Amino acid sequence: MSILVVGASGAVGSAVVAGLLDRGERVRATSRTERVRATSRTPQKLDLPTRVEVFAADLDDPASFTDALTGVERVFLYADLAEPEALLAVFAAAGVRHVVLLSSSSVTLPGAAEDFNGSRFLRVEEAVARSGLAYTFLRPGGFASNAARWNWGVKGESAVPLPYPDAVQAPIHEQDIADVAVAALATEALVGAAPVLTGPERLTLREQVALIGDVIGRPVTVIPQTEAESSAMLSRFVPEVWVRQIIKDWREAVGTTPPLSDEYTRITGRPSRTFRAWVVDHADLFR
Ligand SMILES: NC(=O)c1ccc[n+]([C@@H]2O[C@H](COP(=O)([O-])OP(=O)(O)OC[C@H]3O[C@@H](n4cnc5c(N)ncnc54)[C@H](OP(=O)(O)O)[C@@H]3O)[C@@H](O)[C@H]2O)c1
């Protein structure tokens, strides 16, 4: 059986490939062997062991997946899809049986269908469900890796400008999402499941900034910022529609108590990784 990981250059996608290879090593002696394939729009940039078969493919061009799909039963898929139906038809025609979709917890929030973020993931989830393929929807909340955007402030002024430092989040490590993806790709246990995934603790943005300082060994503070200042700064890195979404999410998260999910532990049997663990794993970003 072959498993295809779409987006093998991504933070989650690369961890899924590594997790599948690691699992393959452990079960090879006793069980069926699984071949791992990977796609990227720029496969020449991937640095993967030679036993991973690598293909060029673009989600905006479903036909580009034809070669990569030969003999593939299960696919890990990002939801950044303009036309999910066309891609899913190519999957079904190639004999794919199960899609593990990296979706978002935003689909579970009230008003998701009208929300920019919720609706874009709902649209893809609904297309996958309609396709007739078996599916698993991974629904993570905010990623710990969103803090990577703060690295210039941390490196430069040892300070992070923020409009809503008291926004509360439960940031999740990309490795936790990948672990659940691997469980979904390697067994039948999560067919039809849609686990919401969060980190194990609630932290304000201010607490996350302080934790970064703690890990790198020098204090890092928050500089208060207006929404307009934050918007102007974020616009240098992300499209306008995302700037509005990020600031809205922060504003609405001030003083909240976001739910903590225990799905990661239920599925893997292990405690989920803390934000501190994410900073330790990515400390070079901030030094
Ligand atoms: N940040 C959050 O808080 C959050 C929360 C919930 C869900 N999410 C979702 O999680 C995903 C981000 O995960 P990540 O951190 O692993 O992302 P990442 O590191 O930015 O990687 C994104 C991957 O998607 C692939 N990709 C993007 N557009 C593609 C296209 N047109 N064709 C083929 N591949 C394409 C890229 O592949 P190549 O460039 O190699 O082709 C890359 O490997 C997004 O869908 C995001 O909306 C994020």
Side-chain angles (χ1 to χ4, degrees):
M1 181 187 71
S2 290
I3 297 174
L4 177 66
V5 178
V6 177
S9 68
V12 178
S14 60
V16 173
V17 172
L20 287 170
L21 293 177
D22 181 52
R23 185 181 178 282
E25 295 295 330
R26 286 184 282 111
V27 301
R28 181 160 297 148
T30 55
S31 176
R32 63 190 173 182
T33 51
E34 293 150 355
R35 295 219 317 263
V36 180
R37 293 182 166 190
T39 68
S40 165
R41 286 166 296 181
T42 51
Q44 64 278 12
K45 291 191 189 159
L46 296 177
D47 182 17
L48 292 171
T50 50
R51 64 186 187 279
V52 180
E53 298 170 273
V54 173
F55 297 82
D58 187 332
L59 290 170
D60 294 330
D61 175 13
S64 67
F65 278 86
T66 306
D67 290 347
L69 286 169
T70 307
V72 167
E73 280 185 25
R74 298 177 191 189
V75 177
F76 170 81
L77 181 63
Y78 279 88
D80 303 287
L81 281 165
E83 291 180 29
E85 289 81 4
L87 183 70
L88 291 160
V90 170
F91 284 4
V96 171
R97 293 194 302 112
H98 182 186
V99 172
V100 176
L101 179 74
L102 175 50
S103 182
S104 161
S105 65
S106 61
V107 302
T108 66
L109 300 176
E114 285 74 47
D115 176 64
F116 162 72
N117 205 28
S119 61
R120 76 188 187 97
F121 287 105
L122 265 184
R123 194 175 60 86
V124 182
E125 284 196 2
E126 286 167 4
V128 174
R130 276 197 308 270
S131 72
L133 300 176
Y135 61 83
T136 306
F137 297 148
L138 308 179
R139 293 173 166 171
F143 289 9
S145 58
N146 294 336
R149 283 190 212 114
W150 301 338
N151 72 338
W152 290 110
V154 175
K155 281 181 174 178
E157 309 291 320
S158 291
V160 178
L162 286 169
Y164 295 107
D166 296 317
V168 187
Q169 300 177 329
I172 182 166
H173 196 306
E174 64 273 4
Q175 186 66 56
D176 282 10
I177 305 167
D179 288 348
V180 177
V182 169
L185 290 162
T187 71
E188 301 287 325
L190 294 176
V191 169
V196 169
L197 303 167
T198 70
E201 66 208 322
R202 297 180 190 95
L203 292 168
T204 63
L205 300 183
R206 192 189 304 280
E207 288 167 332
Q208 293 173 44
V209 169
L211 262 164
I212 292 170
D214 205 35
V215 169
I216 64 172
R218 64 171 199 277
V220 182
T221 55
V222 167
I223 301 173
Q225 199 181 34
T226 65
E227 273 201 19
E229 288 165 344
S230 180
S231 174
M233 202 178 83
L234 287 169
S235 300
R236 300 209 298 267
F237 310 104
V238 286
E240 193 53 38
V241 65
W242 280 112
V243 171
R244 284 199 296 276
Q245 182 77 39
I246 291 166
I247 293 178
K248 171 177 174 281
D249 287 350
W250 284 341
R251 186 193 313 122
E252 292 178 351
V254 173
T256 57
T257 309
L260 300 179
S261 163
D262 61 0
E263 291 278 23
Y264 177 84
T265 301
R266 195 182 60 74
I267 292 164
T268 68
R270 299 190 293 275
S272 45
R273 294 170 176 84
T274 60
F275 182 75
R276 175 183 286 275
W278 181 86
V279 180
V280 168
D281 289 346
H282 299 278
D284 286 349
L285 283 174
F286 302 106
R287 289 200 168 109

